[in-house]
Amino acid sequence: MGKDDVSTKKRRKLNTTSSENTKQSPTDIYKRVIEFEETEAQLRSAEKDSALFKKICQDVRQLFADIAELKAKGTDEAKEKITAKRIEASLHLVALKKLNRLEKVRTRAGRDALHKEKQRVDSTHLLLQNLLYEADHLNKEVTKCLQFKSKDEEIELISLEEFYKDAPTEISRPEITKADEHQLQLARLEWELRQRRELAGACSELVASKERVAAAIAAARSRLDALAPHLKDVLKATKPLQECLALRLDEKRDETRAATLLSPPLFLLYANANAYSDALGSKNISVGISGDEDEARRLDQLSNVESELVVSNDSDSDQENNDEDQRDSKKKRHHRSSKISKEEKAEAKKKEVLKKHPLNVQVTITNSDGTALNLIFSYMIHLKIVVVKFTMNFPKPITGVSAADVLNGDCVLNELYVGDTGNDSPHPATAYLLKAAGISENFPHFIPEVGKPYIWAQRMCGLDFMAVSVDTQKCNKNFLPCQSLSVASVENFIFTLKKRLRARIDLMKELQDLECGKVLPAKGLSCPVRLSGSLTQWQTVSWHEYSQALSTSFVISEGLVTPDNMLYRAIITRQSAKLVAMVAVSSDYPKQAPIFSLTLHWNGTHHVGTSDDIRDIERVINTDWQNTEKKQCTLSTQMMKLLTCLDVLLETMGSSEFPPDKVMLQSIRGRNRMKPYKYLKQGTGIFVQY
């Protein structure tokens, strides 16, 4: 029994080894059969296979006919022949299948050859188009050169007769200029220059003579002004003392006189802003009053009488239409004149509703580098709101389109506080007032003309419409501005605006560097020593272009990016790989980090919806700033991180086009094949997975 058990174990081992061999053999046999048939398809003639196919088909038909005849006989001998003929027909069918496979191999080979030929033709055609474009460009350049006109052709020169008559010989040089047109033109220009210099000298003498006469007149007038009242002499005597002590009494007296004519909200703004300016110094903040004081004085005299808007009732308009219909048959010309008066009345109503107070308050906030933001606050008398217009002053010109856009006044003030875009009136009664005056347009239609009614502007003037319940029948009633609200709002606003202005100036410098292709990280931030990718393009894009990109659909659907963001497109290249980054910078940058949406063009198009690698890079760029490097989360730092991640991604793809030049512990890790995007400053620096 022991020997039998040993023999059975040996048989089982032999059977298992043979089964393993049989498990591996079908794949190898299948590959060998395919290679054999591909080789056979190239060696065999298609015409012979076609003839053989027809012959086999004919034989199969004949076999089917013979089998039918034998089945009709029904003898035992016929059944044996039927079996033999079935076997023969099956062999013919096997041969037909092989011929079919060979034909498909030939068809695929022909299709591949046709595709290669099409690619060659397309490449040649593209080369032809490039040459035609270059030829057309050269023709245009030649045309420009031929049509070039020098500036001296626009100068009106004297005629040749006068030139040879008046010009001295050392300038005219007839023996040279009469034979050479170029020398003639130079000589005429030289003579014209000499004449103009002489005329300029004569003009300067006349101006000096005029100034001497004006000085004599001013001296005589000053002697007459010395006889002015004694009060003026006292005021003049105190001016040196005012200048020495920097009291600015005259200027303050004029501003105080003008401030009494301001509307209550603007007066509250002027008083609090001026007090804040005196506390911090006029170098950072300056407050002033501008406008027509005479008109403001006339308006102040009529302030005791409430001015009601002229609102046309439907009954009155119907009555006017009936009267006009009765007079239409008699006086058509009078009817036309009444139509014109209606249009004029509607325009007068519109101007009256949008009327501003004649005086406005100007607040100028200056940064340490000289950049100044001028805010002009105006009060709309009938709409009871404060509107703001703004201008920017720069110490030196700004280079770069996107860099200049971020320091636009509208962009700086946009969402200074969350949700405050200034695109609609904060007063609930505005829509009713416009409707009552017969104005069909909404208030945002008039914002480019009157200014933006920011909520912070209302609060700086002590107006808080959210805390007041406004009745539609009492929408013209004056509101008393709140002193405490204005004080708190002025200080908070100036602090917030100065912080926003400094942030925008830093962003402007970053954008200037990015437009020049420079990516500079923040100081102290660890980064690889050498980057292989380069920033080839940085430009501003519109909301339509941003929303059409495939990589931005998720952030738009989640509400992370809105049309109020500043939108840019960056293109980073490394050899044949191109990375397109759609960047959305929020209004409160750098408090909120920019959002990057990436699309990689290399061996196809890859974005967050189709590639886990792109999704990992976006997570690193957009979310890896919350804890360790939050203070250094700038746009340039994110761009540096993006260049690093792109190099790591391409170098871990295993392509010979991107040889690895960075130290990585593991090129991939885990089931999702995570790349080592995290940089550790150890030794020369290594990259590991998060």
Side-chain angles (χ1 to χ4, degrees):
M1 292 299 291
K3 293 182 180 180
D4 294 338
D5 293 338
V6 172
S7 61
T8 53
K9 289 181 180 179
K10 290 182 179 180
R11 290 193 201 98
R12 288 176 184 173
K13 289 183 180 180
L14 292 174
N15 290 334
T16 54
T17 54
S18 61
S19 62
E20 290 177 358
N21 294 331
T22 55
K23 286 181 181 178
Q24 297 177 358
S25 59
T27 304
D28 298 336
I29 293 173
Y30 180 72
K31 290 182 179 179
R32 291 171 59 188
V33 169
I34 291 176
E35 294 175 356
F36 175 77
E37 288 187 350
E38 289 178 351
T39 305
E40 189 177 6
Q42 294 177 359
L43 297 176
R44 297 180 56 157
S45 173
E47 291 79 7
K48 291 182 179 180
D49 287 348
S50 177
L52 180 60
F53 179 81
K54 293 179 181 179
K55 182 179 180 303
I56 293 174
C57 290
Q58 184 63 31
D59 294 342
V60 170
R61 293 191 193 95
Q62 184 62 38
L63 288 172
F64 285 168
D66 295 343
I67 290 171
E69 291 178 0
L70 292 172
K71 281 187 176 182
K73 293 179 180 180
T75 61
D76 294 337
E77 183 181 0
K79 290 181 180 180
E80 294 178 358
K81 290 181 179 181
I82 287 173
T83 302
K85 288 186 179 293
R86 282 180 178 175
I87 295 172
E88 185 178 357
S90 299
L91 295 175
H92 284 316
L93 291 176
V94 171
L96 288 176
K97 288 183 178 179
K98 181 177 181 179
L99 292 175
N100 185 34
R101 290 196 301 273
L102 294 177
E103 186 60 29
K104 288 185 179 295
V105 171
R106 292 191 191 98
T107 303
R108 186 174 66 248
R111 190 181 297 112
D112 294 341
L114 177 61
H115 181 65
K116 291 181 181 179
E117 189 65 21
K118 283 184 178 180
Q119 286 183 339
R120 187 185 65 80
V121 172
D122 291 342
S123 177
T124 306
H125 184 264
L126 180 60
L127 179 61
L128 174 61
Q129 294 297 326
N130 292 336
L131 293 175
L132 292 175
Y133 175 77
E134 291 179 2
D136 183 57
H137 176 70
L138 293 175
N139 289 332
K140 290 181 179 179
E141 293 297 324
V142 171
T143 304
K144 287 181 181 179
C145 294
L146 294 176
Q147 294 178 351
F148 174 76
K149 291 184 179 180
S150 179
K151 288 291 184 181
D152 63 283
E153 297 179 5
E154 301 176 359
I155 302 175
E156 295 183 1
L157 302 176
I158 61 176
S159 62
L160 290 176
E161 293 80 6
E162 295 179 358
F163 171 70
Y164 284 113
K165 180 180 178 180
D166 300 335
T169 308
E170 63 271 11
I171 293 179
S172 61
R173 297 178 295 171
E175 67 280 358
I176 298 176
T177 56
K178 289 185 177 180
D180 191 347
E181 293 184 359
H182 178 63
Q183 295 296 329
L184 174 61
Q185 184 70 9
L186 293 178
R188 295 177 70 185
L189 291 173
E190 184 179 358
W191 175 241
E192 184 71 20
L193 178 61
R194 177 179 293 187
Q195 284 186 319
R196 294 195 179 191
R197 285 177 177 174
E198 293 176 356
L199 293 175
C203 180
S204 300
E205 293 179 359
L206 293 175
V207 170
S209 176
K210 179 182 177 182
E211 290 178 353
R212 287 193 296 271
V213 173
I217 294 173
R221 185 172 295 170
S222 64
R223 287 194 299 270
L224 294 175
D225 292 340
L227 301 176
H230 297 287
L231 182 59
K232 292 184 179 180
D233 295 336
V234 173
L235 292 176
K236 288 181 181 179
T238 59
K239 282 186 178 180
L241 182 61
Q242 295 178 24
E243 294 177 357
C244 181
L245 300 177
L247 298 176
R248 296 176 57 245
L249 296 179
D250 292 339
E251 296 178 7
K252 288 186 176 181
R253 189 182 298 110
D254 295 337
E255 288 183 359
T256 303
R257 184 177 62 254
T260 58
L261 302 175
L262 287 170
S263 60
L266 292 184
F267 177 81
L268 194 58
L269 169 65
Y270 171 79
N272 293 323
N274 197 22
Y276 191 84
S277 175
D278 292 339
L280 295 184
S282 59
K283 292 183 179 179
N284 295 326
I285 303 168
S286 61
V287 185
I289 299 175
S290 62
D292 190 352
E293 293 186 15
D294 296 334
E295 182 65 22
R297 193 171 290 106
R298 286 193 294 268
L299 183 64
D300 185 64
Q301 293 174 357
L302 299 175
S303 61
N304 295 329
V305 181
E306 292 186 357
S307 60
E308 298 291 338
L309 294 177
V310 182
V311 181
S312 59
N313 296 325
D314 295 337
S315 58
D316 296 335
S317 61
D318 293 338
Q319 183 65 31
E320 290 177 2
N321 292 333
N322 294 332
D323 295 337
E324 289 175 0
D325 291 336
Q326 293 175 2
R327 294 192 300 267
D328 184 66
S329 59
K330 298 180 180 179
K331 297 181 179 180
K332 293 184 178 179
R333 188 171 298 175
H334 178 71
H335 178 67
R336 289 173 186 159
S337 65
S338 65
K339 273 190 175 180
I340 295 174
S341 64
K342 276 187 175 181
E343 295 175 357
E344 292 176 351
K345 287 181 180 180
E347 187 67 23
K349 287 181 184 179
K350 177 180 175 181
K351 290 183 179 179
E352 183 66 16
V353 170
L354 301 177
K355 185 178 180 181
K356 296 181 182 179
H357 194 276
L359 296 180
N360 51 57
V361 177
Q362 294 185 0
V363 178
T364 302
I365 299 176
T366 307
N367 195 42
S368 58
D369 64 343
T371 304
L373 176 61
N374 303 320
L375 302 175
I376 303 174
F377 295 81
S378 302
Y379 181 71
M380 304 190 74
I381 300 173
H382 299 293
L383 297 182
K384 303 292 186 297
I385 58 176
V386 177
V387 293
V388 182
K389 287 189 175 182
F390 34 78
T391 58
M392 294 290 298
N393 295 330
F394 306 102
K396 58 182 179 180
I398 298 177
T399 59
V401 179
S402 60
D405 290 339
V406 297
L407 281 181
N408 182 18
D410 192 6
C411 184
V412 172
L413 297 177
N414 184 38
E415 285 193 313
L416 191 62
Y417 296 93
V418 178
D420 189 7
T421 60
N423 293 328
D424 202 355
S425 172
H427 197 342
T430 302
Y432 299 106
L433 288 168
L434 295 177
K435 185 178 179 181
I439 300 175
S440 59
E441 296 87 357
N442 295 326
F443 184 78
H445 176 76
F446 305 104
I447 285 180
E449 177 184 353
V450 300
K452 290 198 171 186
Y454 292 102
I455 297 177
W456 51 259
Q458 319 304 318
R459 297 176 66 86
M460 288 178 68
C461 296
L463 301 176
D464 189 5
F465 302 109
M466 301 303 295
V468 180
S469 177
V470 182
D471 190 6
T472 57
Q473 297 179 355
K474 299 179 181 180
C475 57
N476 291 327
K477 187 175 180 179
N478 291 327
F479 296 107
L480 295 177
C482 179
Q483 168 71 17
S484 59
L485 177 63
S486 177
V487 172
S489 300
V490 167
E491 183 178 3
N492 182 268
F493 165 76
I494 293 176
F495 175 80
T496 305
L497 183 58
K498 290 174 67 175
K499 185 177 179 181
R500 169 68 65 85
L501 193 58
R502 288 194 298 268
R504 287 302 169 86
I505 292 173
D506 295 338
L507 178 60
M508 178 267 294
K509 295 177 181 178
E510 289 185 271
L511 293 177
Q512 286 180 334
D513 293 336
L514 292 176
E515 285 190 6
C516 296
K518 301 177 183 178
V519 182
L520 305 176
K523 294 182 179 180
L525 182 64
S526 59
C527 64
V529 177
R530 180 178 177 275
L531 296 174
S532 302
S534 60
L535 178 63
T536 58
Q537 185 184 33
W538 179 276
Q539 64 179 8
T540 307
V541 295
S542 62
W543 172 252
H544 176 73
E545 293 177 286
Y546 185 89
S547 60
Q548 293 298 318
L550 296 175
S551 59
T552 60
S553 58
F554 175 76
V555 292
I556 293 175
S557 63
E558 293 295 324
L560 301 176
V561 179
T562 63
D564 293 328
N565 293 114
M566 296 171 284
L567 307 175
Y568 306 98
R569 175 174 57 219
I571 297 180
I572 300 172
T573 58
R574 179 179 176 182
Q575 282 83 29
S576 62
K578 182 175 75 171
L579 180 66
V580 179
M582 306 300 288
V583 186
V585 182
S586 61
S587 298
D588 58 345
Y589 172 87
K591 183 178 180 181
Q592 182 177 352
I595 297 178
F596 283 68
S597 302
L598 309 177
T599 302
L600 177 63
H601 299 279
W602 182 71
N603 288 342
T605 301
H606 314 279
H607 54 84
V608 68
T610 60
S611 174
D612 291 336
D613 294 327
I614 299 299
R615 188 182 301 111
D616 293 338
I617 293 178
E618 285 192 7
R619 187 184 71 250
V620 172
I621 300 300
N622 294 330
T623 64
D624 191 35
W625 308 94
Q626 299 300 324
N627 298 320
T628 57
E629 299 172 347
K630 185 175 181 181
K631 295 182 179 179
Q632 301 168 346
C633 180
T634 62
L635 183 59
S636 299
T637 305
Q638 285 182 291
M639 287 297 299
M640 176 65 69
K641 187 69 175 178
L642 178 59
L643 288 169
T644 306
C645 292
L646 177 62
D647 288 347
V648 172
L649 174 62
L650 295 177
E651 292 171 10
T652 54
M653 286 295 184
S655 174
S656 60
E657 185 181 2
F658 309 107
D661 61 350
K662 296 174 178 61
V663 180
M664 307 177 194
L665 293 182
Q666 290 180 325
S667 59
I668 55 175
R669 190 184 69 182
R671 290 185 299 175
N672 57 354
R673 303 178 69 84
M674 181 69 178
K675 305 298 188 297
Y677 297 123
K678 185 175 182 179
Y679 178 77
L680 297 179
K681 195 173 182 181
Q682 297 179 0
T684 58
I686 59 174
F687 287 86
V688 298
Q689 283 80 0
Y690 279 86

